[in-house]
Amino acid sequence: MECYLGSKVALATMHGKERAIARPFRSLLGLELELPRGLDTDQLGSFDGLVPRAGGAEQACLRKARLGIENLGLPLGLASEGSFGPHPEMPFLAAGLEVMVFLDQERGLEIWERLIARRTNFNHRCAAEPAELEGWLTQVGFPTHGLIVRPEHPCNGAETLLFKDLPDHPQLAGAIDAAATASSNGRALLETDMRAHRNPTRMACLRTLATRLAKRISTACPACAAPGWGRLEVVPGLPCSCCGMPTPLTHRERFGCVSCSHTEEHPRPDGLAEADPQHCPLCNP
Ligand SMILES: [Zn+2]
Ligand SMILES: [Zn+2]
């Protein structure tokens, strides 16, 4: 895909995401990132919960990409957004959903890539003092991963008290003490900082996602040659090797274009043509 070679793309971020995104976009597309100046992307909803995010991660991501385009006056924009919570299939595990969008206003393209991050340190804990947190702090990766500290039940006037960017254990202890003192139950609430520059696990996910998006952009539609050809969905129904009934396993993959209506279905890429009967609703109900 030569069409973006030497072009610039606006990346609206305050959180150092260019460290994960710059290389794949340069090496796969010849695109250079440009960061808008004086942009407060936290206005669009921030990870410390002080600004609620309207319309979900995808809407926030689109707004951010458009903000970067307007700020720099470029036709190309890029943004990412993460949301974290219980894993959709395993509610006791945390998972992250990362979305990333590339906008090309001249060609009228909107190209998405999504990633479910099974490895995330997303977590929270309440404590009156650091001694209660020893194993937990290791588990969430402090201090290489950031923490946000505030009162669990803020006393009057302490509603906005919040500590972040704590570099080490002594400063964390000070923040816990101050937040616990300002809480009516004497306890501080600690939450993992999910901002990319304070969360190397998340930064690694963004690198994977950026590589996938750059690959998708660099793939041309076989019908109209527009950038952004890629997988739209997986089609279940891989036949059971014993009785031939469709199982919930992936049978085919459907690919599509973001510009024209062309789609194609292909067999699953690992070549598996039949499912083990253990996945069959008839043989193994
Ligand atoms: Zn069967
Ligand atoms: Zn097409």
Side-chain angles (χ1 to χ4, degrees), residues 12 49 79 87-89 136 187 219 233 248 250 270 280:
H87 192 283
E89 286 143 35
W136 187 77
R187 296 178 79 76
T219 308
E233 60 179 358
T250 299
D270 63 5
C280 176

Side-chain angles (χ1 to χ4, degrees), residues 132-145:
E132 297 173 40
L133 294 166
E134 267 175 29
W136 187 77
L137 291 178
T138 311
Q139 186 197 326
V140 298
F142 184 81
T144 52
H145 291 67

